[in-house]
Amino acid sequence: MTFTTGTSRRTVLAATAAAGVAVAASAPAAHASASSSGRTPSKELFGTLADGTKVHRWTLANGGTRLKVLSWGGVVQSLETPDRRGRTTNVALGFDNLADYVAKSPYFGGLIGRYGNRIAEGRFTLDGATHQLPLNDGPNSLHGGDKGFDKRVWQVEPFTERGDVGLVLTRTSPDGEAGYPGALAVRVVYTLTSRGEWRIDYTATTDRATVLNLTSHAYFNLAGEGSGSIDGHLLELAAARYTPVGATLIPTGELAPVARTPFDFRRSRAIGEAVRTPHQQIGYGQGIDHNYVLDKGITARPEYALTVTEPGSGRVMKMYTTEPGMQVYTGNFLDGTLTGTSGRVYRQGDAFCLESQHFPDSPNQPSFPSTVLRPGDTYRSTTVHSFSTR
């Protein structure tokens, strides 16, 4: 099947990388292979793993946006965009060194797979066979297990094309990796357009039936990374329903109306107002950590999903996607123990994540849109982030 044709988390810290892949040296090199001042992608050494694998950082600049991406996990380390006065600031949370990404990143900027979000008890049955995944989020498997795609080194190739610049990230996940069936060939394209949009195109094929749900786990604060709470950010979300969860944040299977709940963002409202509203679901997530059922459903091309506005800076981010769902996460498990690229600590509620996706636990929820990928079919998914000011 193709996800775009419509057939149908979070621990406080991610697990440390497996033995033998710990960081040996992680300070970014002072030199780069090309100038990052123009539209040509530049590359520099970011660090080296204990097994000798070099991790590089690529810089893309176009249309007023600057994006820095690591070959480690396809991580978006930094995303810079101007405010209403033209002052450019990094609005994505992250670390300034590889050691922290390997040892303790809560998925900062990561390329998530094989399965974004949670699978109950880390188990699913496909074509009569039961597959057991690593449990890394209480009784559940989260974001592909304890060593998902965000903790793997990707092959990266730069490109420039008709005013756009970008990176092609590729990796083959072997059959049985993290318990998932099938050898999976994955291609992810990060593009910065001439309008400064950040576009992500995912494709994948498999040699055996499997489940797949790829997404990006960028943490945003449109006032600037490390600037404090996102309570005053205004969110408008084109979703009349969401998927309520139980105590371990697994969906109950219900597609519940957002009307008369803290989850209603059909009209723009402050995130902090919603998070502080008494509600059992807010208690389960220690804030919002829920999947929204986008009104548009699965689409062949990216269609409008949401708008986030930060009144102080005037920054506006809109998202368009082919996916049927959007996980909204309000940085609930940031606890002041992590220090970011600005040298400031990240506290609860200092960022939000917007993960375009199929629904959590879909392999165990027959009423949800299918996440099964079979040999001969191609997984396709696209999400676009558009930046402006007001």
Side-chain angles (χ1 to χ4, degrees):
M1 61 168 276
T2 59
F3 280 10
T4 57
T5 57
T7 57
S8 303
R9 108 189 60 97
R10 256 149 237 38
T11 51
V12 175
L13 299 176
T16 301
V21 197
V23 172
S26 58
H31 66 279
S33 61
S35 170
S36 62
S37 60
R39 286 203 309 108
T40 301
S42 68
K43 176 185 177 182
E44 62 187 321
L45 181 65
F46 189 71
T48 304
L49 301 173
D51 65 359
T53 302
K54 296 183 183 302
V55 172
H56 293 97
R57 177 170 64 185
W58 290 86
T59 299
L60 306 174
N62 207 12
T65 302
R66 186 183 301 270
L67 191 67
K68 296 183 179 182
V69 177
L70 306 183
S71 57
W72 170 263
V75 163
V76 172
Q77 189 224 5
S78 172
L79 193 157
E80 300 172 35
T81 186
D83 65 10
R84 65 164 64 93
R85 297 182 181 179
R87 298 173 299 189
T88 298
T89 300
N90 173 25
V91 298
L93 275 61
F95 298 117
D96 64 1
N97 65 89
L98 183 57
D100 283 350
Y101 278 109
V102 173
K104 56 187 178 181
S105 176
Y107 308 100
F108 281 154
L111 198 171
I112 301 299
R114 283 192 191 187
Y115 199 94
N117 223 301
R118 296 176 174 87
I119 294 179
E121 300 179 349
R123 186 183 304 125
F124 66 92
T125 300
L126 178 60
D127 296 339
T130 298
H131 303 274
Q132 182 63 54
L133 315 173
L135 303 181
N136 63 322
D137 185 56
N140 306 315
S141 186
L142 174 66
H143 294 332
D146 51 2
K147 194 175 180 186
F149 287 1
D150 63 299
K151 300 174 184 66
R152 307 282 182 174
V153 176
W154 291 71
Q155 296 296 315
V156 183
E157 293 293 335
F159 69 88
T160 59
E161 183 177 287
R162 290 182 293 187
D164 297 339
V165 296
L167 304 172
V168 179
L169 296 87
T170 55
R171 181 176 183 271
T172 297
S173 173
D175 183 23
E177 184 175 76
Y180 288 88
L184 186 78
V186 185
R187 183 177 188 267
V188 181
V189 181
Y190 290 169
T191 303
L192 271 190
T193 73
S194 59
R195 295 183 296 275
E197 299 164 331
W198 173 34
R199 177 183 175 116
I200 313 173
D201 291 283
Y202 309 85
T203 57
T205 58
T206 184
D207 66 357
R208 182 182 172 195
T210 192
V211 296
L212 187 61
N213 193 27
L214 303 179
T215 192
S216 172
H217 208 297
Y219 283 68
F220 293 104
N221 185 320
L222 297 185
E225 171 271 339
S227 64
S229 173
I230 50 98
D231 280 2
H233 284 58
L234 307 177
L235 173 62
E236 175 191 277
L237 184 59
R241 296 176 296 170
Y242 77 112
T243 53
V245 298
T248 67
L249 302 182
I250 294 294
T252 63
E254 180 185 7
L255 305 184
V258 299
R260 294 180 294 280
T261 77
F263 300 95
D264 191 351
F265 289 97
R266 290 174 296 173
R267 294 185 178 180
S268 181
R269 62 190 289 238
I271 292 174
E273 175 188 342
V275 168
R276 283 162 176 70
T277 302
H279 194 281
Q280 184 181 55
Q281 289 292 310
I282 295 291
Y284 283 153
Q286 300 182 42
I288 299 174
D289 192 1
H290 292 74
N291 170 70
Y292 281 78
V293 181
L294 296 176
D295 294 339
K296 70 176 192 61
I298 303 171
T299 50
R301 296 180 180 179
E303 293 188 7
Y304 175 77
L306 62 87
T307 301
V308 184
T309 304
E310 201 287 299
S313 66
R315 289 188 182 91
V316 178
M317 183 176 76
K318 294 188 177 184
M319 288 181 66
Y320 306 80
T321 186
T322 57
E323 290 296 293
M326 185 71 67
Q327 186 81 7
V328 177
Y329 170 61
T330 52
N332 313 326
F333 299 113
L334 298 174
D335 62 358
T337 62
L338 303 178
T339 301
T341 52
S342 63
R344 301 183 183 97
V345 298
Y346 298 145
R347 305 168 305 168
Q348 185 179 50
D350 277 359
F352 61 89
C353 301
L354 300 166
E355 301 153 63
S356 53
Q357 60 174 16
H358 270 51
F359 305 165
D361 199 38
S362 289
N364 297 311
Q365 305 267 2
S367 64
F368 288 177
S370 175
T371 54
V372 175
L373 178 68
R374 297 189 179 278
D377 292 338
T378 300
Y379 173 101
R380 301 184 193 277
S381 176
T382 298
T383 295
V384 178
H385 305 74
S386 175
F387 302 97
S388 61
T389 60
R390 63 175 57 161

